[in-house]
Amino acid sequence: MGISYIPHTDADRRAMMAAIGISSIDELFADIPEEVRLRRPLRLPPALSEPELVAHLEELAAANPASGMVCFLGGGVYDHFIPSVVPYLAGRGEFATAYTPYQPEVSQGTLRAIFEFQTMIAELTGLDVANASMYDGATALTEAALMAVNVARRERVVVLGTVHPEYRQVLATYAEGQRLPVTTVAVDGRLGTTDMADLERALEGEDVACVLVQQPNFYGCLEPVHEIAARVKARGALLVVSTDPISLGLLEAPGRYGADIVVGDGQALGLPMAFGGPHFGFFACRAEHVRRMPGRIVGQTVDREGRTGYVLTLQTREQHIRRDRATSNICTNHSLMALAGTVYLAALGPRGLRRVAELCLQKAHYLAERIAGLPGFDLVFEAPFFKEFVIRCDRPGFDPAAVAREAGYLVGPDLGRWEAGRRGQLLVAVTEQRTRRELDGLVAAWGVAR
Amino acid sequence: MGISYIPHTDADRRAMMAAIGISSIDELFADIPEEVRLRRPLRLPPALSEPELVAHLEELAAANPASGMVCFLGGGVYDHFIPSVVPYLAGRGEFATAYTPYQPEVSQGTLRAIFEFQTMIAELTGLDVANASMYDGATALTEAALMAVNVARRERVVVLGTVHPEYRQVLATYAEGQRLPVTTVAVDGRLGTTDMADLERALEGEDVACVLVQQPNFYGCLEPVHEIAARVKARGALLVVSTDPISLGLLEAPGRYGADIVVGDGQALGLPMAFGGPHFGFFACRAEHVRRMPGRIVGQTVDREGRTGYVLTLQTREQHIRRDRATSNICTNHSLMALAGTVYLAALGPRGLRRVAELCLQKAHYLAERIAGLPGFDLVFEAPFFKEFVIRCDRPGFDPAAVAREAGYLVGPDLGRWEAGRRGQLLVAVTEQRTRRELDGLVAAWGVAR
Amino acid sequence: MTDTANRSTSGPGGLHTGGSGGHAALPAAAEPGPEPLIFEYSRPGRGGAWLPEPDVPVRPVEDLVPRELLRREPPALPEVAEVDLVRHYTRLSQMNHAVDTGFYPLGSCTMKYNPKVNERVAELPGFSRLHPYVPDELAQGALRLMYDLERALCEIGGMARATLQPAAGAHGELTGILLIRAYHESRGEGHRHKVIVPDSAHGTNPATAAMAGYKVVEVASDERGGVDLAELERVLDEDVAALMLTNPNTLGLFDENIHRIAEMVHEAGGLLYYDGANANAILGISRPGDMGFDVVHFNLHKTFSTPHGGGGPGSGPVGVTEKLVPFLPAPLVERDPETGRYYLDENRPQAIGRMRSFYGNFAILVRAYAYIRALGPEGLRQVSEDAVLNANYVMRQLAEYFRLPYDRVCKHEFVLSASNLRERTGVRALDVAKRLLDFGIHPPTIYFPLIVEEALMIEPTETESKETLDRFVAVMKRIAEEAEREPDLVKEAPHTTPVRRLDEALAARRPVLRWRPEGAA
Amino acid sequence: MTDTANRSTSGPGGLHTGGSGGHAALPAAAEPGPEPLIFEYSRPGRGGAWLPEPDVPVRPVEDLVPRELLRREPPALPEVAEVDLVRHYTRLSQMNHAVDTGFYPLGSCTMKYNPKVNERVAELPGFSRLHPYVPDELAQGALRLMYDLERALCEIGGMARATLQPAAGAHGELTGILLIRAYHESRGEGHRHKVIVPDSAHGTNPATAAMAGYKVVEVASDERGGVDLAELERVLDEDVAALMLTNPNTLGLFDENIHRIAEMVHEAGGLLYYDGANANAILGISRPGDMGFDVVHFNLHKTFSTPHGGGGPGSGPVGVTEKLVPFLPAPLVERDPETGRYYLDENRPQAIGRMRSFYGNFAILVRAYAYIRALGPEGLRQVSEDAVLNANYVMRQLAEYFRLPYDRVCKHEFVLSASNLRERTGVRALDVAKRLLDFGIHPPTIYFPLIVEEALMIEPTETESKETLDRFVAVMKRIAEEAEREPDLVKEAPHTTPVRRLDEALAARRPVLRWRPEGAA
Ligand SMILES: Cc1ncc(COP(=O)(O)O)c(C=O)c1O
Ligand SMILES: Cc1ncc(COP(=O)(O)O)c(C=O)c1O
């Protein structure tokens, strides 16, 4: 039998070769010099039929028992509930198998959805405009820094030490390419938020383009954003805020406290954790900076009969027009994930989003309090938090993550992964999905186990 | 919060009541006499939000460990492979959430698919026409008997003892309603096929409307259908054949050996086992009998601009026109399942279907031979078989089904479920999905276990 | 009798998509023609390539199967590439109107929104990969679901027990009537051979009674749309086995005499059968059992939100009062009170037999169960209240433009008549229906019930918003105006659908019921 | 700068579906207007009702979060019923052209069929419910898949190791260029500050080089469409860090001098970067590593069949030769040869850093892995052979009607020019593209590469049948004829799409980038 994805029969191939006027397919590859040809079959496992393929992948999937455990893991990806309409609608073939909407007349579905997405992100963040998506939260934050450097015509980037370490690593990688100096602000070890004195020091000089803030921060704590904003503004730098979109159901829109650019990762908005991707990054800014914004933007216009329609617009910012002077090299973004996020937000509405945020908040605080009451356990930081917090345990020889795992619960990550001095400190994230039974179960596992 | 499936806000309700001119919703129920009103809330568990609902159903689903075991169960439902395109396409909302295509101008999708289905069933069975589907194989066979009684203007129905016992039970239930005499033909206990002498006896008299045959029969054995057909025809009765559609990739089309009506269950054609339903029944007959056929039929026609289109046709057979003189009371059939079957057959094509049938045949025979070689094990019947066969084991105190289950394999059902005399005899079905490792694994479990 | 389907030829300029449209060349605007049949994509040797090689020793087929039993000619199934398969059925789907694409006020069919979460849970492998003959111990989740669903349906219907076997409404009816027959026979009253149905009844009611071997006796409706009590009195005698009724009836009207009707039938020794197609009006408000019905079927594919699938699958569970329980088909799901284990009880000596293979349309039961659990008692009552509110809201407004044959509060649906239009303009109910298609709205059920001429039977359901209803009213009003001003616009409708009005007479006169390759006989 | 989006008003007769179309009243034919935005379905208090009540003691929010951090005004997200949500996005989806609905020969984008089995396996809960920070021991299946995919991509590209982190092609490019920079720096050659790109290159190539801090130097193409060797010689000096190339290039032509080019660049101390966007031509036929490339990225969303999603997600793994391996970003998946366990190795002291959070677009990797396993070595080679066959088959036939600027055997795609039409009839490549829409065909990429005027860049892919290609050729021929006979028909196209040609200039001049409620500022 042939290969399912390829329609040609040998008869088809013969007819086509005859039409071209060749007698062997090799003639079509005559332009490939001998010395660069592969003269052997690829060393790959043999083809699998569909049933074999499904069985093989099911076996691999089954070899990830973590996927069946109760998830208190945090650090940028969260086990939120995914309403059934989200994958159902975003999975429709007409959305999934379309390209970037270069031909607007036959892409109004995608274009309208992106326009809706831009509107929702602008609403959530309290800014004027949003783009059609970025790869993820980390690259969105990094591109925000690069944009701020452009807007401010200054070079130095200040990043709070409470920003997700992986986001800071990505920033460092990109900054290294452009030789941008990056200053990291120290953490107040008691509060778990920014050391304001150190921020003040970092802002000295008139060379700071922007300050990158994460709210809620990597430790789950709430930064004093009004105070931070005041200091950043006083120095003429741009304020860039990276945020958990779920938190915006409850927390002030960053645009309202002075953020110039707001970014974040959209995984929490109806996307599976999927071992880290694909998710999407969102990116919003003030109207006056839109022509420096990276990424695709959809705008409204009219067709020749005066009907409303939507197109990709302001493309002169982009690589396919501006080439080496583009605002970014981004081309393909994460449109389908952004569509899922759009459906999620439309499914929840403002009240639903607030409810999710409140459930996270209440459940996280219930659990934190109960854990703090366990002998030997302790909350590491004192600042208020949203849905995530850091714990430590000083019972000798007791490994809380391992004990939890035995009982079917996943907690973490261990902050030692990034900060040696915090080895043994664990992030605990609580989403609206976690039931009281699970919360109490985790506490019980730590209460009784030895 | 409100109820997700209901859009009305209280403001909407008030506006609508005002428009109607009522001040309380109760006014709309004033026509329901007090004595038949329910004066208390329904005694049902309280509403679950979507996350709770999903968690609850996932818990119930997880409480069916059989679903994760290797399935050699037979008896009318089989663990065949479902190509990924089948649920993907049949699950599209435009197919799933449409009603019966009463308005053909906006139902051409469903109508065209049914027309394709009718064609494929006609091709498979070797008959002229097929209907749009029945509930399942058992009711299809029963309706075939009722139709044959009508066509033949005779009353007695003869059914072979090798027809699926549940199908015979359904036949009995319906026949009881219409007071039709049913004669069951004995089984040749050595071969596992029909006792031809008893068939001859059953056919005596000129009152037999039809003979119901299952090929491959309930024991998996192949009936001598040519010989049966000859005898049935000789008596002027109609030949009704119930068949496994997968087998028709390899076995002669019943229309070719004289069947007047061919029916069967379509589960094997790309439908999940789903604890027994929904599947679909298929129903094909000769052109000259079409006006006695039960169920919906789609026909081709033209629109007012001469374009080809499809409509429900020959409706004067049906209950909504003919009422108590209809060919059947069937209204809603199993259209969506038939669509899945259509996609399945189109995905496989003639060579694919043959391949599935051959794989079943070869693997079943490999396994049968290996089981027969096990000490104490034995094949019960001698007739040739297709993908299913009956085994027994005379090792004292040894329960083969239980031992297999321990090792993760499901075999059966035990024929004792229907025939006390065959308690301990087990059906074993082998589909193309069963790998040699699984076949050998089952044999090993029986070889070593005690 | 069957005939060759026209197959459009397509030269290189004749352009494939226009296939079945029979266009020789594209029109200037090149609007793509209707999608052809899958067979037209078929090429010998293409597709069908997803199967593994055998991993067991292969023996010649002829050694395993007697040669005369082997197929001589392969079936002419299509041979298509996967991409063409996907495109074909995707395009076909786009030719359908569906609840997922627009308003669907098809009376008697309860085309409410089908929650997507129900699809998600029904597809869980723990349900979908379950063979019906697995041991009970390994399917406790499925059995418990069935047990709890049965209890919920009994509570809603006011019944004692129920069978989940029936695959659709009509199948439930047959089950119910056979139960009634078994009941009478058990009491030595096998002579009862008549079933009464109102003249407003759905066709499945008389068809079912006939199929169960009964003689059908029609009873007329009175001027308020209910059963005419005098008429009923007249036809009730000792030969009557049952009266089949739906309440609210097919006019969408609640029969206020239901209590009296039940008394009369019971006094005559008959039983009352409840056709649950219209149960969407009464959830938590009134129970058939309390009305006096002895047997009830529900259409899970109507009232309980399971998708209709373009004609099924449905599910038609049947509930009965205590005295009929012994006759319910085997198996029922029972719960061992000691161990809490659920099991299939096949041991039902008085059962009428079996109505189908296995236990019912299980995956549909899962959806209905999920629906009931999502709504809870208050939610279910809200469903009926809003369904009735929506119907009255639309009825009140449309009564200005169409004739309202029974002017009283309706329940979840109502019936208008286009006879006023017809008399004045010649525009018929059918024309109104077809014109609605141009506005992206599915028409009401038409010409049913039979007792209303030019009937338009409208069931908005509770899942439609006020805005959707307002738009429907506006469009209906507009069509009524068009009928006066520009009747041909309506009579020639639809204008914007993938095909226009189809010649149904031709289809029946010269039936073409399957595709055949070009040139075939 | 932004402005209020027009919102159509809809009185009761103004009919909802026409919303954004701004129709005051429906036209006689009542063709439904374009679907409005989700916001237009919103009503205060509707929807959003799927959340449980808290099951823990609830404390006042203000006790937990400082009051000044709390949101003062809720975001104006839409409030819609679930049925309207489903209808809205279902209808939107139907306004898209997609691979699932028709032919999509969009050059450089490799719009091949996206197998549905890939979706099925990517959605398995064992993959989709996996948090990225789970312990390695509990995610062995995922790690093994990544490990094996990396090996397969390395084998296909002729590379030593690869990172799966990059989220798209451009992201892979940036990763690759940063790797090259790290390599040079490690050798004390940090002064190299130029990257050479051909004038035919995709915009992401120069944009990437600039983003990585490099100066971009363009090199011209020769008359056969390849890199002009003399030009290359001229620009190569000790400041050159890399040459970025795609081969076959954006003209669909294989650069026969690739070996010489590699030698020249390497001699100058530079490295060669392979933009894998066009890898669909070379699977199992020629490997970038064997051509002399040092760094390669693949677009899994092109060559390896993962769906493009209307603009992503993609995945752009980057492979490198041995000497660049130390610089690959952390983590890589490694396998402990003793235990056979897989683990994430974060300990990569020379790594360039991290390119994104976590490990890559894992669910896309699953799909690409499934694709490679489904095809195997022969299948992958067949993919490229048939992709090239299809392109040449179409090219040969279209060369009669359009100008073929480089008349040689092409690879998986080719570039035509509509300059012949334009000169004679004024019909431009854009017009041809728009006219194709009327026939249900997605247009080729137009006006790229920049070195061909009126460019039409056509990539049929291997998943299209001969019949589909024949139809495309027929339609293109017909459009060429229309251009001569009836140019306005083409210039005014499309005629049959949900909206007609859109005013892009207006969109840019007066940007309306978000919806606002009627009457808002
Ligand atoms: C009043 C009534 N009774 C019975 C039925 C039959 O139900 P089903 O189609 O599920 O067999 C219907 C279906 O339309 C109906 O409306
Ligand atoms: C030749 C070429 N290079 C690079 C890219 C960029 O890839 P991506 O869109 O995945 O970032 C593209 C995509 O269109 C391309 O065609």
Side-chain angles (χ1 to χ4, degrees), chain A residues 423-445:
Chain A
R423 193 159 308 280
Q425 298 185 4
L426 296 171
L427 269 174
V428 179
V430 187
T431 70
E432 80 288 358
Q433 292 228 83
R434 296 289 70 82
T435 60
R436 180 165 185 168
R437 182 148 55 115
E438 291 166 345
L439 305 180
D440 292 343
L442 176 63
V443 171

Side-chain angles (χ1 to χ4, degrees), chain C residues 349-421:
Chain C
Q350 284 189 272
I352 54 167
R354 175 175 274 285
M355 289 305 295
R356 54 161 294 159
S357 52
F358 316 118
Y359 327 116
N361 280 343
F362 176 73
I364 306 299
L365 305 179
V366 174
R367 291 172 172 88
Y369 175 78
Y371 181 75
I372 291 170
R373 294 304 309 269
L375 286 160
E378 291 80 20
L380 287 176
R381 192 185 160 102
Q382 190 72 60
V383 161
S384 288
E385 286 187 4
D386 282 348
V388 171
L389 176 64
N390 283 1
N392 280 283
Y393 178 71
V394 173
M395 181 180 80
R396 269 299 131 235
Q397 297 181 72
L398 290 185
E400 278 186 52
Y401 310 101
F402 296 85
R403 192 166 72 80
L404 182 60
Y406 302 92
D407 192 359
R408 34 183 288 216
V409 159
C410 68
K411 294 274 87 53
H412 66 301
E413 67 188 357
F414 61 96
V415 178
L416 294 176
S417 169
S419 61
N420 59 332
L421 285 194

